[in-house]
Amino acid sequence: MRQHKSRQIHVQIHLIDIRNMLQSMGKEIESFPLPDIQEEYDTSIGVTREIFEESTIELNVEDTYLSDSLNSDQRAAYDEIMSAIDRDEGGVFFVDGPGGTGKTFLYRALLAMVRGQKKIAIATATSGVAASIMPGGRTAHSRFKIPLGIDDGGFCSFTKQSGTAKLLQSASLIIWDEASMTKRQAVKALDNSMRDVMSRPDLPFGGKTVVFGGDFRQVLPVVRKGSRAQIINSSLRRSYLWDSMRHLKLVRNMRAHSDPWFAEYLLRIGDSKEETNRDGEVRLPDEICVSRTGKDTDLDTLIDNTFPSLDANTSDPDYITSRAILSTRNDCVDRINLKMISRFQGDEMVYHSFDCAVDDPHNYYPPEFLNTLTPNGLPPHVLKLKINCPVILLRNIDPANGLCNGTRLVVRGFQRNVIDAEIVLGQHAGKRIFLPRIPLCPSDDEMFPFQFKRKQFPIRLSFAMTVNKAQGQTIPNVGIYLPEPVFSHGQLYVALSRSTARKNVKILAVPDAGNKKRNSDDSKKKSSTNNEIVFNLSEIYF
């Protein structure tokens, strides 16, 4: 009898785990032929899934002491935000700080304090990478159900009776990091929805305490084929909410505190105050540049500088995740990753995708053609992996358990239809997970004249990544590959500011065709940051 009771408890525990995983993916256990969950074993009865998930986030003991280590700027911001929470009067804040000034450190201190008081604090970020380094972090679009193609006057896609609405009503603090990367329309949609669910249409975000954070020196919102004016106009700085925000500034660079010259140089780059030549180029310090010979081996030199003694460190996750090569284009990133996986020790496993064009009965788009396509945000047709190689997740699989777009993992094993991987950064570091093949479609419906679908593991190699993907991370050792001019606001600044000191940065800048006529020693030390493209910061800043 005792053995039967024990087995029944284990069955119920596993059923509850299965239900929670299905719910995190938007599905219900009732849709599957499984035994019923008995109420006596279910601690979440009467509580919405969203509130249950947030209220059961494990509190990191170390984070509870972070408030004692805040610098003066962080302390002033912390006290003002906590005062608004304690008085339950609400308020909208924007924490402005250059990369490395400790915005994430501040968020973690706030989250630990609020959650330690048994209150609900919601942690979100525009990018999955930034979200993954906050305890309980989720992408803002995932948490708030923000439609991808949002327009002015839009709302989030949750209803007033939904679990998401109840979560927002219960929250004492909402954090949205990297808000400078998001379109103002997405923030407006959350504001519209919160005014509605809180039944307080006259107050921003329905009177809740909401903390935005970011750095307008960094990458701005992506506007497909947008002009300079359109990109600036899409930023949060142009929102009607901007004037109702209390602006809190962080100025002390904690990431590069050991190298004051580097911290000041980063600010000059970010503020567009670094001296330029007549072609709008800035000169990079000699000590951070890779000597350029004009040969294909230049890229190998950059790799050797960023990943020294690779063969001796392939099984060390700290080595693998503390360095990366950043570039501005996906094709450059793919080329570097292929070079790296060929250097990486171990047996290679190759996974091919299954590609199709939806509603193509006449086979106008054969698989052979579709296999050659690699749309932005999708894994490649040919995915080459080795044990211990680093990868990055491309979709929100199970955000509550750390599997969101941008999560960094290390491959631990292969099966025919499953990849065994380990989360290596953030709150869920050390957790082993299994990734299946899933059907994927490009987020941009206008990319092709047909609907493209690829069934593949939702990962890419991450020895190298785009500058945009790296925003929000600290990467102690950074290589930067610039085969052409930087084409987007803030990309050079973001790439440089990921690191902690100039001795940990190496740049390979290849001059464009116009520069090749100049003295090679002169041009090899110059960034391709063009002032006509890197917008005047005064147009978007405070």
Side-chain angles (χ1 to χ4, degrees):
M1 181 70 179
R2 182 178 298 171
Q3 185 177 5
H4 173 74
K5 184 72 172 177
S6 176
R7 181 179 180 279
Q8 186 180 24
I9 292 172
H10 284 298
V11 168
Q12 288 295 312
I13 290 173
H14 290 312
L15 285 171
I16 291 170
D17 285 341
I18 292 170
R19 180 201 61 188
N20 292 342
M21 282 191 285
L22 288 171
Q23 287 181 337
S24 72
M25 294 181 278
K27 302 181 185 298
E28 297 297 334
I29 194 170
E30 289 80 10
S31 304
F32 299 87
L34 293 170
D36 293 334
I37 295 175
Q38 299 175 18
E39 290 189 8
E40 61 189 283
Y41 299 105
D42 190 0
T43 58
S44 66
I45 291 293
V47 180
T48 65
R49 171 179 57 86
E50 290 83 356
I51 292 178
F52 181 75
E53 285 178 357
E54 288 290 340
S55 61
T56 55
I57 292 172
E58 187 175 347
L59 189 61
N60 188 325
V61 176
E62 293 180 358
D63 284 3
T64 61
Y65 297 102
L66 293 182
S67 60
D68 297 330
S69 304
L70 300 173
N71 63 34
S72 57
D73 295 333
Q74 293 168 329
R75 169 56 66 180
Y78 175 89
D79 288 344
E80 189 163 345
I81 294 167
M82 284 304 306
S83 176
I85 296 170
D86 293 339
R87 294 198 303 267
D88 196 26
E89 62 182 20
V92 186
F93 302 88
F94 187 90
V95 178
D96 163 51
T101 50
K103 293 187 292 294
T104 302
F105 193 91
L106 172 62
Y107 303 148
R108 293 179 72 99
L110 289 167
L111 292 168
M113 177 57 72
V114 174
R115 289 169 178 165
Q117 297 173 352
K118 304 302 180 184
K119 298 176 182 177
I120 289 179
I122 302 173
T124 71
T126 300
S127 71
V129 172
S132 69
I133 58 179
M134 287 191 290
R138 297 272 293 269
T139 61
H141 278 76
S142 167
R143 171 48 77 203
F144 304 130
K145 306 291 190 296
I146 301 173
L148 289 176
I150 193 73
D151 296 317
D152 278 318
F155 284 75
C156 300
S157 59
F158 60 82
T159 66
K160 201 168 184 178
Q161 292 74 38
S162 66
T164 300
K166 290 180 172 59
L167 172 66
L168 293 172
Q169 290 167 348
S170 305
S172 296
L173 171 66
I174 298 169
I175 293 176
W176 186 336
D177 192 21
E178 302 293 357
S180 52
M181 288 178 67
T182 201
K183 294 179 180 178
R184 59 178 172 79
Q185 291 88 346
V187 177
K188 182 178 181 180
L190 179 61
D191 178 44
N192 290 340
S193 295
M194 290 189 66
R195 290 178 192 242
D196 181 40
V197 300
M198 296 302 299
S199 299
R200 302 180 76 178
D202 55 325
L203 292 176
F205 301 96
K208 287 291 182 179
T209 300
V210 183
V211 177
F212 293 94
D215 178 7
F216 288 99
R217 301 169 186 82
Q218 299 190 21
V219 177
L220 294 178
V222 176
V223 178
R224 190 167 181 262
K225 297 181 179 179
S227 66
R228 180 165 97 174
Q230 287 172 323
I231 293 173
I232 294 172
N233 189 54
S234 72
S235 74
L236 181 60
R237 182 66 180 84
R238 289 290 187 259
S239 171
Y240 66 93
L241 291 162
W242 185 253
D243 290 336
S244 66
M245 295 182 184
R246 174 82 174 96
H247 302 138
L248 308 172
K249 290 182 177 290
L250 305 182
V251 297
R252 183 180 173 189
N253 195 315
M254 305 300 291
R255 186 182 295 159
H257 68 277
S258 61
D259 191 344
W261 180 91
F262 186 59
E264 292 175 7
Y265 177 74
L266 290 177
L267 276 181
R268 293 200 303 274
I269 291 290
D271 291 337
S272 298
K273 293 180 179 178
E274 182 68 2
E275 184 180 352
T276 64
N277 65 12
R278 63 181 181 277
D279 296 307
E281 297 173 328
V282 298
R283 185 178 181 88
L284 296 170
D286 290 0
E287 63 262 45
I288 68 173
C289 292
V290 171
S291 297
R292 191 182 61 81
T293 66
K295 300 178 181 178
D296 292 339
T297 54
D298 288 345
L299 182 54
D300 293 310
T301 303
L302 178 65
I303 291 172
D304 291 337
N305 275 280
T306 311
F307 291 90
S309 306
L310 177 63
D311 291 346
N313 291 281
T314 54
S315 61
D316 182 356
D318 291 334
Y319 171 90
I320 293 297
T321 57
S322 65
R323 58 198 72 236
I325 295 175
L326 308 181
S327 193
T328 53
R329 299 181 63 90
N330 281 303
D331 54 352
C332 296
V333 167
D334 291 342
R335 182 154 66 94
I336 296 169
N337 278 324
L338 287 176
K339 268 182 172 285
M340 289 299 303
I341 199 65
S342 66
R343 287 183 172 209
F344 208 71
Q345 289 185 334
D347 296 330
E348 187 174 82
M349 186 70 167
V350 180
Y351 293 101
H352 292 86
S353 67
F354 301 95
D355 300 337
C356 68
V358 179
D359 296 329
D360 182 26
H362 302 292
N363 199 31
Y364 291 130
Y365 305 101
E368 294 78 15
F369 163 70
L370 299 175
N371 294 164
T372 65
L373 305 176
T374 307
N376 188 26
L378 261 61
H381 166 59
V382 180
L383 182 62
K384 297 180 179 181
L385 302 172
K386 293 179 181 178
I387 299 296
N388 297 324
C389 73
V391 294
I392 192 166
L393 196 60
L394 301 175
R395 287 293 185 274
N396 293 317
I397 303 295
D398 186 3
N401 289 298
L403 294 179
C404 60
N405 186 353
T407 298
R408 295 180 71 184
L409 311 104
V410 166
V411 173
R412 295 302 190 201
F414 305 116
Q415 300 292 332
R416 182 178 179 181
N417 293 306
V418 169
I419 292 174
D420 176 8
E422 178 183 339
I423 300 175
V424 290
L425 290 175
Q427 172 195 4
H428 299 278
K431 181 181 292 185
R432 293 286 282 269
I433 55 94
F434 294 97
L435 292 172
R437 293 180 191 264
I438 62 174
L440 300 155
C441 296
S443 57
D444 187 351
D445 293 334
E446 300 178 4
M447 184 173 293
F448 303 118
F450 55 89
Q451 187 179 349
F452 178 58
K453 182 182 289 186
R454 168 164 290 168
K455 189 173 185 181
Q456 179 62 291
F457 296 99
I459 55 175
R460 279 176 173 264
L461 289 167
S462 64
F463 296 103
M465 65 182 78
T466 61
V467 173
N468 292 36
K469 205 74 172 177
Q471 185 159 324
Q473 293 189 72
T474 296
I475 305 174
N477 303 281
V478 175
I480 303 172
Y481 179 52
L482 300 175
E484 58 185 27
V486 176
F487 64 86
S488 175
H489 168 90
Q491 284 190 321
L492 178 63
Y493 171 74
V494 171
L496 287 169
S497 62
R498 296 311 91 202
S499 187
T500 54
R502 61 183 139 171
K503 64 183 177 64
N504 298 329
V505 178
K506 287 297 177 184
I507 299 179
L508 175 59
V510 181
D512 60 29
N515 284 340
K516 288 180 180 178
K517 296 179 181 179
R518 303 178 197 153
N519 182 282
S520 61
D521 184 62
D522 182 47
S523 61
K524 73 182 179 184
K525 304 290 195 307
K526 292 176 182 172
S527 158
S528 301
T529 307
N530 190 295
N531 277 351
E532 192 60 36
I533 300 171
V534 179
F535 313 142
N536 185 341
L537 207 63
S538 64
E539 296 185 55
I540 57 170
Y541 214 52
F542 309 133

